[in-house]
Amino acid sequence: MATSSGSPKKSSSSSGAVARPPHQSVKFARRTSSGRVVSLSRDDDLDMSGEFAGQNDYINYTVLMPPTPDNQPGAASDTKPDGPQRRRMGDEEGGGGNATVAAAAKMDRRMSVMKSSDNKSMLLRSQTGDFDHNRWLFETKGKYGIGNAFWSAEAEEYGSESGMSMSDFMDKPWKPLTRKVKVPAAVLSPYRLLVVIRAVSLGFFLAWRIRNPNPDAMWLWGMSIVCEIWFAFSWLLDILPKLNPINRATDLAALRDKFEQPSQANPHGRSDLPGVDVFVSTADPEKEPPLVTGNTILSILAADYPVEKLSCYISDDGGAILTFEAMAEAVNFAEVWVPFCRKHNIEPRNPDSYFSNKTDPTKNKKRPDFVKDRRWIKREYDEFKVRINGLPEAIRKRSETYNSKEEMKEKKLAREKNGGVLPLDPISVTKATWMADGTHWPGTWLNPTADHSKGDHAGILQVMSKFPENEAVMGHQDEKKLDFTGVDIRIPMFAYVSREKRPGYDHNKKAGAMNAMVRASAILSNGPFILNLDCDHYIYNSQALKEGMCFMMDRGGDRICYIQFPQRFEGIDPSDRYANHNTVFFDGNMRALDGLQGPVYVGTGCMFRRYALYGYHPPRANEYSGMFGQLKSPAPNAAAMQSHLQSEEDDSDTQPLASHPDLTLPKKFGNSTMFTESIAIAEYQGRPLADHISIKNGRPPGALLLPRPPLDAPTVAEAIAVISCWYEDKTEWGERIGWIYGSVTEDVVTGYRMHNRGWRSVYCITKRDAFRGTAPINLTDRLHQVLRWATGSVEIFFSRNNAFLGSKRLKFLQRIAYLNVGIYPFTSFFLVVYCFLPALSLFTGHFIVQSLNIAFLTYLLIITICLTLISLLEVKWSGIGLEEWWRNEQFWVIGGTSAHLAAVLQGLLKVIAGIEISFTLTSKSAGEDVDDVYADLYIVKWTSLFIMPLTIIVVNIVAVVIGCSRTLYSVIPQWSKLMGGAFFSFWVLAHMYPFAKGLMGRRGRVPTIVYVWSGLVSITVSLLWISISPPDDSVNVSSGGVQV
């Protein structure tokens, strides 16, 4: 601590003699046993043995270093240690000799702790190994004083009277695993201000529009004002949850120090991290190629996470033998691929993505055998791909061979029974699908039959890679393989799961498959955290699991139900014509929700807390009351609610009507005792490390060091039993436990239920993308994807999952965000009408306002400028590009006039009339250039979703031509109305440009005659319209009072 070494009295007495400002300096010094001050700076030694003197003492600051154990004189010096001999500045001159001797002896006793090398190790921080000054000051009862380290008289009274203990000082070096990085106020404050200004401007504008109707076209004015009011309401629903965006950062070094370094509780430095079960879901090997799924599995098995704590499961909902054998091949290849990734620190660890990378593979690689190893593993991967591609033919030939043998056996048996002669009746043999070991495949056969079809087959569970050893298994040099000396060659546990399916049962699609995996994994590995990925989303950042674990294991992590990672996509066309990257949502909306109660669950790339998936409440939660949720109060904990519910069971009439159904505790998990017992274990193992006084609901260090018991036959049999089709009968699975049933978008509903119970979620954006996947770049496929999302949103709006019915534990702005999820498809009605308004205006010669006066243009200018500035600031804090923002705006109009409209119609028909409509492809024209990576972008697949956007484009083009013709042929041209209508028509057409470009196919594919005929038809229609409805000869101009 740097302070003035001169007294105020001396400074004031010599102030008159100052001739010029002296040179200011800060010096670091140490007081010796003789009282002399030895400089630790580069300046000459300072002699301050005399009374504080000198006119510049109030400027020359001296920092006296306390004689801590890491600041002792060198061993080679003949001088004695400086610390114990002289400790006090104020008392040592004026005190008596006995007091001085007693004080020095007392200081010697205190400093004896530091003189022992054994005791000095106790002063090292448990995490970093650095010297702990806080602990040293406590044990010596010292504290930093003015210019020196000194002990005051009242410092002797530490202990029971002061209420301080050693733990208070030991808690100081604790390091958090994550931190919030707030958006700069220079960006966020103007953003919020502009939102308020635009909201107020919209209010004044709508009020002005209502007070100033257009008497010449009341119907046009009425439609426009209704649409504008809805757009303002929809904009508020979208913008309000964006008022508090935040960023987060993780500290992987602190995570490693806490969980993977030797300590008193972990002397061998084994990993104390909790287990993670990774779920991959697939259903059809024809639509989801096994090679893509195999690469995803390989990226998971090679993830940078403790091998013994990682388990991987794949759910094959189709029960296909092709997927089964492809996964077996992937596990075999993983035995060389995973050690290769560890040896050379490969990124990404998806083989296909790694070998397709255009960058220099030798960058940052230092081992001399890397090039040789890479060449060898590349050859092995090529052979792996050939084996995967040849599996369908190999399975077919194998099945034909076994079936022919079975047919020969049947013929031989029939010949023996018929006296050596074949019977006249033909012998029929079931065309079965055979496994490599010569047994029938229990899943779906190539020729489906009873008990062997997609909706009717037995449950299958195969552990393809058993639990690894708890200790690292180092490789050795092998002439046939790579040199894995000093490299851990273990691979994580991997299991293939295909749940049982039988006719007459509702299997609930993907949500049912995920719940079956939850139960099977609880029996086998019971990792307290679950990461779910689609089969085409692989781990791009090998440390992504640790990044997510930083949030779960940090202070307050026991309240987090899931960590959502952003979705990043590969194979998108460079212009991102149809906004496939969706960066406005993933980098804007989701980042903003992270500042509230957390982002929504989007179906993949999400790490769940298993205990939260079981429908339980967080250990601590808050309730929000008041009109805007401004009143915050602690919610009753789970134990209090359990006792309350038990008391209510005695007298059901006393149960209050206001109790929310989501706040009841789950009870019906099924009849598996082994599964029920695993719940408490998963909850305990998922707690943060209790290494700080602020950690609540934690577990002691070293609690997860015991190895997993090996799998036995009863355990595997129990896992097969819990994936049976009858297990969920009379249980709460899909209703309160696991993934929620009853919606196409089961992901959003599942996350909403957790937030409704008081859990919070976190959005984890890593420097290197955590996961990457694929997205449809074809227009038709993209629209059908949006249609499915919008249909799920409509189902949410008409169900009990509507945010209007949420509990008090849902924050106000979080409730607004979930309301927007269910309401946004209904904007399509108003958007379609508004897209036709410019054309109707040009057709009729009227506009939505009577005239383009100053008030209308001023309001329009203010609203537009505010929206532009808001968008620019949103681009600033979210990090998206302007082109990405514009593509999102374009596709919002395209999707809103097609997929969203169809979803609303489909939802209304389903709710009102019980009629379900599905939009399917009717025709298809394939592209010719199969070598083009973006060839699918130019494929045109006709669908009924094209009708409305195409109509809007044609009508607006014709309307512009008619408007121009009407104005040119009129006696007094009304250029203001033409400009108003034409401007908005071109604005609509600008948003529809990607749709029109998608219909055109490849560049240059549309013949010139199409453009010629389009122009001729437009001109002809405009002339016919003018002849049918000629322009008026008289025009009333109310503002100028002119009549012609």
Side-chain angles (χ1 to χ4, degrees):
M1 180 175 181
T3 55
S4 175
S5 57
S7 63
K9 184 181 297 184
K10 286 292 179 182
S11 298
S12 60
S13 64
S14 59
S15 59
V18 177
R20 62 179 181 178
H23 175 69
Q24 301 184 11
S25 63
V26 178
K27 298 182 175 61
F28 295 86
R30 174 173 53 82
R31 188 185 297 278
T32 64
S33 60
S34 63
R36 183 172 179 268
V37 176
V38 179
S39 174
L40 300 179
S41 304
R42 292 186 179 181
D43 302 334
D44 295 334
D45 289 352
L46 302 175
D47 188 3
M48 296 182 61
S49 57
E51 182 123 3
F52 306 107
Q55 63 178 359
N56 298 332
D57 287 341
Y58 68 100
I59 292 178
N60 292 325
Y61 286 77
T62 302
V63 180
L64 295 171
M65 308 299 291
T68 57
D70 58 344
N71 183 31
Q72 295 294 333
S77 176
D78 294 332
T79 61
K80 296 181 180 180
D82 304 324
Q85 279 75 11
R86 193 176 183 90
R87 282 293 176 267
R88 302 177 183 266
M89 291 178 59
D91 298 339
E92 61 188 359
E93 267 88 25
N98 295 333
T100 304
V101 172
K106 190 175 296 184
M107 291 303 103
D108 284 336
R109 287 195 300 271
R110 292 171 187 164
M111 291 302 296
S112 66
V113 176
M114 270 62 71
K115 293 178 182 179
S116 172
S117 60
D118 295 334
N119 291 333
K120 183 176 179 180
S121 63
M122 298 171 58
L123 298 176
L124 299 180
R125 294 180 180 174
S126 59
Q127 299 177 21
T128 61
D130 299 332
F131 178 77
D132 192 344
H133 285 272
N134 292 326
R135 180 169 180 174
W136 176 83
L137 287 172
F138 177 83
E139 292 191 350
T140 59
K141 298 187 178 179
K143 59 184 179 181
Y144 286 105
I146 301 176
N148 199 353
F150 73 101
W151 289 260
S152 60
E154 55 270 18
E156 306 288 340
E157 303 301 327
Y158 285 165
S160 58
E161 296 182 3
S162 62
M164 302 181 67
S165 63
M166 187 63 186
S167 61
D168 297 326
F169 287 84
M170 288 295 292
D171 290 336
K172 300 297 182 182
W174 182 84
K175 294 176 65 177
L177 301 178
T178 63
R179 60 188 177 91
K180 290 183 180 180
V181 182
K182 295 185 177 180
V183 176
V187 176
L188 192 57
S189 297
Y191 179 78
R192 292 171 174 171
L193 179 62
L194 286 170
V195 169
V196 174
I197 293 175
R198 189 171 191 267
V200 173
S201 302
L202 278 174
F204 282 111
F205 172 70
L206 293 175
W208 179 87
R209 290 277 283 118
I210 294 173
R211 292 195 305 266
N212 295 271
N214 184 2
D216 297 332
M218 291 295 293
W219 60 274
L220 196 62
W221 170 83
M223 287 192 299
S224 64
I225 194 64
V226 169
C227 293
E228 288 164 2
I229 292 175
W230 179 266
F231 290 151
F233 171 70
S234 178
W235 177 78
L236 285 175
L237 290 182
D238 181 68
I239 203 67
L240 286 178
K242 294 182 179 180
L243 295 179
N244 190 33
I246 62 170
N247 298 309
R248 297 183 186 270
T250 59
D251 191 347
L252 293 178
L255 183 76
R256 183 172 58 254
D257 293 339
K258 279 178 181 285
F259 294 93
E260 297 180 338
Q261 293 298 324
S263 63
Q264 184 176 1
N266 185 11
H268 298 288
R270 296 173 182 168
S271 176
D272 199 19
L273 287 170
V276 178
D277 294 341
V278 185
F279 293 173
V280 179
S281 57
T282 183
D284 190 347
E286 295 181 359
K287 297 180 180 179
E288 299 162 338
L291 184 59
V292 175
T293 307
N295 276 277
T296 300
I297 297 300
L298 289 169
S299 70
I300 296 171
L301 298 180
D304 186 8
Y305 200 78
V307 185
E308 67 276 9
K309 302 296 182 71
L310 183 63
S311 302
C312 181
Y313 297 83
I314 182 169
S315 171
D316 180 15
D317 219 28
I321 188 174
L322 177 58
T323 304
F324 178 85
E325 297 199 358
M327 295 306 101
E329 289 286 351
V331 171
N332 290 334
F333 179 67
E335 294 179 356
V336 292
W337 170 252
V338 173
F340 168 75
C341 293
R342 292 175 184 153
K343 178 180 179 181
H344 296 289
N345 195 21
I346 298 300
E347 291 287 354
R349 300 189 175 181
N350 176 324
D352 189 70
S353 178
Y354 172 70
F355 291 120
S356 301
N357 203 341
K358 302 300 182 183
T359 59
D360 183 11
T362 61
K363 185 178 181 181
N364 299 327
K365 296 296 183 290
K366 301 177 180 179
R367 301 191 64 143
D369 57 349
F370 169 71
V371 176
K372 178 178 66 70
D373 290 356
R374 187 179 186 274
R375 188 181 301 115
W376 185 88
I377 201 72
K378 178 65 167 62
R379 184 174 65 253
E380 290 292 316
Y381 176 65
D382 290 339
E383 294 178 358
F384 164 74
K385 288 196 297 183
V386 171
R387 290 195 300 269
I388 294 292
N389 294 332
L391 277 178
E393 184 66 18
I395 295 171
R396 185 185 62 81
K397 289 183 177 180
R398 180 205 310 151
S399 299
E400 290 178 353
T401 302
Y402 278 109
N403 287 330
S404 62
K405 290 181 180 180
E406 289 295 315
E407 186 176 0
M408 292 175 62
K409 289 180 181 179
E410 290 293 332
K411 288 182 179 180
K412 182 179 180 181
L413 184 60
R415 186 181 294 110
E416 291 176 355
K417 290 182 179 180
N418 201 28
V421 180
L422 284 175
L424 298 177
D425 297 334
I427 299 175
S428 61
V429 178
T430 304
K431 300 296 182 181
T433 300
W434 295 79
M435 301 175 66
D437 59 355
T439 59
H440 283 179
W441 168 244
T444 303
W445 286 356
L446 300 180
N447 298 314
T449 60
D451 296 334
H452 294 284
S453 61
K454 284 188 177 182
D456 183 13
H457 62 79
I460 308 169
L461 192 150
Q462 177 67 46
V463 179
M464 296 185 172
S465 174
K466 63 179 182 179
F467 285 125
E469 301 290 336
N470 203 41
E471 299 290 342
V473 178
M474 298 302 174
H476 54 84
Q477 189 172 2
D478 189 350
E479 295 181 358
K480 297 181 180 179
K481 297 182 179 180
L482 301 182
D483 182 8
F484 291 137
T485 304
V487 180
D488 190 358
I489 61 173
R490 296 175 298 166
I491 62 174
M493 193 273 280
F494 175 72
Y496 171 92
V497 180
S498 181
R499 57 176 174 154
E500 181 187 11
K501 285 188 172 183
R502 297 301 178 191
Y505 287 89
D506 187 0
H507 302 292
N508 297 296
K509 300 179 181 179
K510 180 181 176 181
M514 298 300 293
N515 285 337
M517 266 200 297
V518 169
R519 296 191 295 269
S521 63
I523 301 297
L524 297 178
S525 56
N526 197 30
F529 298 101
I530 294 173
L531 172 68
N532 95 281
L533 296 172
D534 289 342
C535 64
D536 59 345
H537 272 71
Y538 66 91
I539 296 181
Y540 187 73
N541 181 358
S542 63
Q543 293 188 328
L545 299 179
K546 290 184 177 179
E547 298 258 10
M549 202 56 65
C550 286
F551 294 100
M552 292 294 192
M553 294 291 103
D554 202 10
R555 178 171 51 193
D558 56 335
R559 298 175 56 192
I560 299 175
C561 56
Y562 61 81
I563 308 294
Q564 179 64 61
F565 294 86
Q567 292 185 19
R568 306 301 186 197
F569 302 103
E570 295 177 335
I572 307 298
D573 55 297
S575 63
D576 193 13
R577 182 186 295 177
Y578 306 124
N580 292 93
H581 284 298
N582 212 0
T583 51
V584 174
F585 174 76
F586 287 114
D587 292 343
N589 297 65
M590 298 285 276
R591 194 192 301 262
L593 288 177
D594 197 17
L596 305 177
Q597 202 168 338
V600 299
Y601 168 41
V602 294
T604 184
C606 187
M607 180 185 288
F608 282 97
R609 182 181 298 276
R610 184 183 288 269
Y611 185 70
L613 265 178
Y614 289 157
Y616 287 100
H617 298 178
R620 299 173 307 283
N622 297 317
E623 290 186 350
Y624 305 91
S625 56
M627 180 177 295
F628 301 105
Q630 70 275 15
L631 303 178
K632 176 181 173 181
S633 60
N637 56 27
M641 290 192 63
Q642 181 68 29
S643 60
H644 177 66
L645 290 174
Q646 289 178 354
S647 64
E648 288 177 353
E649 288 178 357
D650 299 335
D651 187 6
S652 60
D653 296 336
T654 62
Q655 186 172 359
L657 296 177
S659 62
H660 196 277
D662 283 349
L663 298 183
T664 58
L665 296 178
K667 299 178 181 179
K668 301 177 182 179
F669 290 94
N671 58 3
S672 174
T673 305
M674 192 177 297
F675 173 80
T676 307
E677 292 174 350
S678 70
I679 297 176
I681 299 174
E683 188 277 333
Y684 177 77
Q685 294 182 351
R687 296 179 182 181
L689 208 62
D691 60 343
H692 191 264
I693 192 173
S694 63
I695 299 293
K696 301 178 181 178
N697 193 38
R699 61 174 174 85
L704 304 182
L705 298 179
L706 296 177
R708 289 176 174 174
L711 294 177
D712 52 10
T715 302
V716 177
E718 187 72 12
I720 295 176
V722 297
I723 62 174
S724 61
C725 58
W726 48 263
Y727 184 83
E728 294 185 357
D729 290 346
K730 299 180 181 180
T731 66
E732 293 177 323
W733 285 97
E735 179 183 352
R736 184 173 286 110
I737 305 172
W739 270 260
I740 306 302
Y741 301 154
S743 175
V744 177
T745 52
E746 73 285 337
D747 44 8
V748 177
V749 176
T750 302
Y752 165 75
R753 291 288 186 89
M754 294 183 183
H755 285 144
N756 220 15
R757 298 185 188 106
W759 293 95
R760 68 155 294 119
S761 57
V762 167
Y763 198 51
C764 180
I765 301 180
T766 56
K767 292 183 179 179
R768 178 183 176 88
D769 294 344
F771 312 103
R772 283 192 177 181
T774 58
I777 62 175
N778 180 263
L779 176 60
T780 306
D781 296 336
R782 174 74 166 129
L783 287 178
H784 277 267
Q785 183 187 55
V786 175
L787 172 63
R788 186 177 66 85
W789 295 341
T791 302
S793 296
V794 175
E795 291 176 349
I796 291 173
F797 182 79
F798 288 112
S799 69
R800 55 166 289 203
N801 299 308
N802 193 314
F804 279 118
L805 308 176
S807 70
K808 293 183 179 180
R809 299 189 180 187
L810 206 61
K811 287 186 176 181
F812 175 73
L813 291 181
Q814 189 80 15
R815 190 186 303 269
I816 295 296
Y818 275 113
L819 278 175
N820 190 36
V821 170
I823 289 177
Y824 81 89
F826 294 93
T827 306
S828 58
F829 280 127
F830 306 93
L831 183 61
V832 168
V833 172
Y834 213 73
C835 287
F836 281 114
L837 285 182
L840 296 175
S841 176
L842 291 172
F843 281 145
T844 60
H846 300 288
F847 196 49
I848 57 176
V849 294
Q850 192 171 11
S851 62
L852 297 178
N853 55 18
I854 299 300
F856 176 77
L857 295 177
T858 302
Y859 278 122
L860 196 63
L861 181 63
I862 293 174
I863 293 172
T864 304
I865 291 177
C866 287
L867 181 60
T868 303
L869 294 177
I870 288 172
S871 301
L872 290 175
L873 289 175
E874 189 171 329
V875 165
K876 182 72 174 177
W877 61 253
S878 63
I880 61 178
L882 283 174
E883 183 181 3
E884 294 172 325
W885 176 84
W886 172 239
R887 291 299 187 202
N888 182 79
E889 292 294 313
Q890 287 180 314
F891 196 78
W892 176 76
V893 176
I894 296 171
T897 55
S898 57
H900 295 176
L901 181 64
V904 174
L905 293 175
Q906 182 175 348
L908 291 176
L909 288 175
K910 182 179 179 180
V911 172
I912 297 174
I915 302 174
E916 293 192 12
I917 300 176
S918 60
F919 294 85
T920 56
L921 305 180
T922 57
S923 64
K924 177 180 178 180
S925 61
E928 296 177 2
D929 191 1
V930 295
D931 296 331
D932 189 358
V933 67
Y934 305 121
D936 197 42
L937 179 68
Y938 308 106
I939 297 176
V940 179
K941 309 173 186 177
W942 175 257
T943 174
S944 55
L945 298 178
F946 288 174
I947 295 176
M948 187 58 67
L950 193 57
T951 304
I952 291 174
I953 292 175
V954 173
V955 170
N956 276 276
I957 292 176
V958 173
V960 170
V961 177
I962 291 177
C964 293
S965 303
R966 175 185 294 277
T967 304
L968 291 174
Y969 285 100
S970 62
V971 178
I972 299 180
Q974 301 180 40
W975 294 104
S976 62
K977 293 185 177 181
L978 173 64
M979 294 300 296
F983 174 78
F984 286 109
S985 285
F986 279 117
W987 188 246
V988 171
L989 294 174
H991 282 79
M992 289 290 182
Y993 173 72
F995 177 82
K997 194 173 182 180
L999 291 182
M1000 295 176 186
R1002 286 189 180 276
R1003 183 178 302 174
R1005 290 291 182 88
V1006 180
T1008 308
I1009 193 64
V1010 173
Y1011 297 105
V1012 175
W1013 276 105
S1014 299
L1016 291 176
V1017 169
S1018 299
I1019 294 173
T1020 304
V1021 172
S1022 64
L1023 293 176
L1024 288 174
W1025 184 271
I1026 292 173
S1027 62
I1028 296 173
S1029 177
D1032 297 333
D1033 292 336
S1034 61
V1035 180
N1036 294 325
V1037 183
S1038 59
S1039 60
V1042 180
Q1043 183 175 3
V1044 180

